[in-house]
Amino acid sequence: MFGRFKNEVLYPWVGKLSIYETIKQGLDPQGRLTDDHLPDDEEYWAGHKMRWVAGGLDGAFGHHGAGGDGETDKIKDLAQLLSRQCRKPGMKTRRETYVRLMEENALSLIDPLLDAVREHPAIQPDRLYEEARWLAEHGAHRNVVKFGIALLGLLETDQHHELILTLAKHDEFTLYAAVAIRNISEQANVQLYRLASQVHGWGRIHVVERLEPTRQEIRDWLLREGFRNNVMYEYLAYECAHKGELHTAIAVPHIDQELFDGAGDILSALLAAGGPAESIDDYEHAAMVIGNYLRHAKAMCTTVKHFTIIMDIADFLGEEDDSWEARYEHEWTPELRKRYASICQQMMDDPQWVKPVEQELQHADSPHLHYAIRVARMLALDVWPVLFDQLSQYPVKPNLYFELIRTEDEQRARKLVAFAENRLPLEEIASGPADVPGFGPEYEAHQCLGILLQQLSSYEGMGQELVAAGLWSPVTSNRHAALHVLKEWPSEMWGEETTERLRRLSVAETEESIREQIRELL
């Protein structure tokens, strides 16, 4: 036992299932990953307030300003370690390399490290291949595997294609695998196209960005499914519109329902995009596509979701700012804008929409409920009574509280707060202060409370039990929101329980910014 313990300390991969085997075991018969946990999850995220989704950390930094070129000394040291391992393979050197790779930020160091490896005179390709394959196949820590995949991407051989393609099915590694596949495979585009349908988060974003539209089948898929991902459609809307040639596909007299749905979602994402993602103003065919979409919509706009896309287009056309002056210098004209706006208005004025919207509002578990609420508000329908009735069936549903608390009717607000005080599990929520972000389904009750607290500052003395629960919630944002309410209320409106809990929190709170707020209040 002592020897095994010693090995696990000396060699971090001992006693852990490799990431490669973990992924293989998590694949369904269609080759899609059903469980994205990794053997180093607890170790990797220890000390972090929140965990990123698979691939999220690399994806966000890659799209919103990636890391720098890395530090020169680190690159030299890593290249030297790989060189030593090539010259004198052994567990001691492998352990040293492994531990260093565990600790480094793969995204910021990989490119300069690969450059250093290419130029290093003492690194032997055959020995490097064996080491890189071992890191990718047997590594139990994500950064080690990422470096292994990247190193394999330097070496042209068919022997490790299955290894890389398997690792690619986990969003954490898709970026590195996609780059390697493009470097080493003659069938790279075919493999990327097949892979794109098997990943749905950051992995799909990385693959589609590297996928070439070499066949009509690929272009069709890009416009109907390729942009859909679990992060944000905005990241791929322009990419798929451009590569899939949306302006050509939608210009024909008749299109299929899947293309109409895809075109609408792409347009909606482009209209909402900005910042790191291309927006409608970056799309050179915007006017043509919007015109053809509206032409098809006259017959194919049949759902509340379709209706919201017409609303998005109408909002865009109705913008009153300087942007239109720039648009008029390209393919837009005032006449075209006015004509399209008129088409949108005619469709939105059609009274036939009232009935389907009312029907959709009856289903609180519908994935289209938020579309129905948006359309109902545009149609000036009163959704509050319908949504409040649904609370009896779904008393812990954040989106219902979000919609219901957005009322200017104080009596309705009081009715909602009274319901929440009776039906939310306030004793369970008030488990004591901690440093919890409060994301995920297990924190839905805390999310409901947080939504209500955001609005209670406008209603003096309303919801004292909710404020008291918020002060003693482990979710940091709940405590911040509760303190904000107390700042806005006169102290005589706080209530005894809230005041007592505030005093207790002044001792128990660990976050300095919250302690400072408490000192100011007391």
Side-chain angles (χ1 to χ4, degrees):
M1 181 176 289
F2 177 77
R4 187 177 69 178
F5 173 76
K6 186 176 180 181
N7 278 341
E8 290 174 357
V9 172
L10 287 175
Y11 305 109
W13 60 87
V14 172
K16 292 185 176 71
L17 188 67
S18 74
I19 284 175
Y20 170 63
E21 286 297 329
T22 300
I23 294 173
K24 280 182 66 176
Q25 292 181 13
L27 296 177
D28 67 13
Q30 287 72 44
R32 294 186 294 262
L33 194 64
T34 58
D35 183 353
D36 67 356
H37 86 277
L38 291 172
D40 70 335
D41 275 341
E42 298 307 317
E43 184 179 351
Y44 186 80
W45 295 112
H48 290 76
K49 292 184 178 181
M50 60 177 286
R51 295 187 181 190
W52 291 73
V53 297
L57 194 57
D58 290 339
F61 280 98
H63 283 79
H64 301 251
D69 294 333
E71 299 177 20
T72 303
D73 290 343
K74 285 183 179 180
I75 300 301
K76 288 182 179 178
D77 289 347
L78 288 170
Q80 190 61 29
L81 280 172
L82 290 169
S83 172
R84 284 169 52 196
Q85 183 66 11
C86 288
R87 294 197 311 274
K88 297 180 179 180
M91 291 299 286
K92 181 179 178 181
T93 309
R94 174 173 285 170
R95 175 193 176 278
E96 191 175 354
T97 306
Y98 190 104
V99 171
R100 284 294 303 276
L101 295 178
M102 277 176 57
E103 299 169 348
E104 299 298 348
N105 178 348
L107 185 66
S108 65
L109 293 183
I110 275 181
D111 286 341
L113 177 61
L114 295 183
D115 289 339
V117 167
R118 290 188 189 96
E119 297 169 2
H120 201 292
I123 290 182
Q124 305 169 35
D126 55 341
R127 296 272 180 88
L128 178 64
Y129 173 77
E130 294 301 325
E131 191 60 22
R133 176 156 190 157
W134 189 92
L135 294 171
E137 187 170 353
H138 299 284
H141 296 80
R142 66 195 68 200
N143 283 338
V144 173
V145 174
K146 290 173 184 178
F147 280 106
I149 295 171
L151 291 169
L152 287 174
L154 291 176
L155 306 162
E156 294 186 14
T157 172
D158 294 334
Q159 296 179 40
H160 55 266
H161 281 195
E162 185 275 334
L163 168 63
I164 290 180
L165 287 169
T166 298
L167 292 169
K169 293 175 183 178
H170 193 296
D171 287 287
E172 187 71 22
F173 307 102
T174 315
L175 168 61
Y176 304 89
V179 173
I181 289 168
R182 289 194 65 178
N183 288 342
I184 63 176
S185 176
E186 294 181 358
Q187 299 296 317
N189 208 59
V190 174
Q191 292 173 338
L192 290 177
Y193 176 46
R194 189 178 302 122
L195 175 63
S197 64
Q198 297 173 326
V199 286
H200 298 88
W202 279 104
R204 174 165 291 190
I205 294 170
H206 295 312
V207 173
V208 169
E209 287 175 340
R210 290 160 178 81
L211 182 64
E212 297 298 331
T214 53
R215 308 196 312 267
Q216 187 60 44
E217 177 188 0
I218 296 176
R219 292 191 287 274
D220 291 344
W221 179 82
L222 288 170
L223 297 180
R224 291 161 175 80
E225 290 294 330
F227 61 91
R228 303 186 192 279
N229 65 83
N230 297 336
V231 184
M232 285 175 64
Y233 287 7
E234 285 85 339
Y235 280 117
L236 289 177
Y238 176 86
E239 192 85 22
C240 289
H242 178 69
K243 289 182 176 179
E245 299 180 5
L246 177 59
H247 64 292
T248 301
I250 204 173
V252 297
H254 303 285
I255 60 175
D256 58 78
Q257 188 64 51
E258 290 76 16
L259 177 56
F260 179 73
D261 291 342
D265 287 341
I266 287 173
L267 277 176
S268 186
L270 286 171
L271 290 165
E278 293 89 346
S279 73
I280 194 72
D281 287 321
D282 298 303
Y283 186 39
E284 64 272 31
H285 304 298
M288 182 192 309
V289 169
I290 286 175
N292 279 314
Y293 180 81
L294 291 175
R295 173 173 59 83
H296 293 298
K298 291 177 182 178
M300 302 184 75
C301 180
T302 57
T303 70
V304 290
K305 182 180 179 182
H306 294 154
F307 192 104
T308 61
I309 297 169
I310 302 301
M311 291 171 61
D312 290 337
I313 295 172
D315 289 344
F316 165 71
L317 296 169
E319 289 175 358
E320 297 294 344
D321 56 30
D322 296 336
S323 301
W324 279 102
E325 295 305 318
R327 292 169 188 150
Y328 292 150
E329 295 178 2
H330 295 88
E331 59 175 347
W332 285 99
T333 66
E335 294 74 23
L336 202 60
R337 176 188 177 191
K338 184 177 180 180
R339 178 153 57 90
Y340 291 171
S342 176
I343 295 172
C344 291
Q345 195 61 52
Q346 289 174 20
M347 296 178 67
M348 293 189 297
D349 288 341
D350 192 333
Q352 70 163 340
W353 285 104
V354 174
K355 186 175 181 179
V357 169
E358 290 178 338
Q359 290 175 339
E360 196 71 56
L361 288 171
Q362 300 298 322
H363 306 287
D365 57 345
S366 168
H368 295 153
L369 179 64
H370 62 290
Y371 298 120
I373 292 171
R374 185 180 168 200
V375 176
R377 288 207 164 102
M378 195 280 296
L379 296 175
L381 302 178
D382 186 5
V383 301
W384 205 95
V386 178
L387 298 182
F388 185 80
D389 286 345
Q390 294 173 4
L391 273 182
S392 58
Q393 184 178 358
Y394 301 96
V396 184
K397 198 169 183 64
N399 68 321
L400 288 179
Y401 285 95
F402 175 79
E403 298 295 344
L404 288 166
I405 197 60
R406 296 167 62 191
T407 177
E408 297 179 1
D409 186 327
E410 183 173 336
Q411 292 306 310
R412 285 182 168 183
R414 289 188 180 279
K415 187 176 180 180
L416 177 64
V417 167
F419 178 93
E421 288 181 329
N422 286 320
R423 298 295 299 275
L424 286 181
L426 298 183
E427 290 186 7
E428 295 178 20
I429 291 173
S431 59
D435 192 16
V436 175
F439 303 126
E442 66 271 31
Y443 290 104
E444 282 192 333
H446 301 74
Q447 293 163 21
C448 293
L449 176 62
I451 289 166
L452 295 173
L453 290 173
Q454 294 292 333
Q455 302 296 325
L456 287 184
S457 59
S458 303
Y459 301 100
E460 290 184 2
M462 185 192 300
Q464 291 178 0
E465 292 181 39
L466 301 180
V467 177
L471 288 174
W472 212 241
S473 168
V475 175
T476 309
S477 61
N478 282 173
R479 301 200 299 283
H480 275 293
L483 288 170
H484 177 71
V485 173
L486 296 183
K487 286 180 182 178
E488 299 299 317
W489 286 4
S491 56
E492 60 268 21
M493 304 295 289
W494 292 359
E496 292 183 10
E497 183 180 3
T498 299
T499 304
E500 174 58 27
R501 198 161 273 179
L502 185 63
R503 291 196 182 101
R504 291 170 59 197
L505 187 62
S506 68
V507 177
E509 181 58 61
T510 58
E511 185 171 317
E512 181 56 35
S513 65
I514 295 181
R515 289 170 67 92
E516 178 62 31
Q517 293 180 63
I518 297 170
R519 284 193 291 268
E520 292 176 5
L521 282 168
L522 291 176

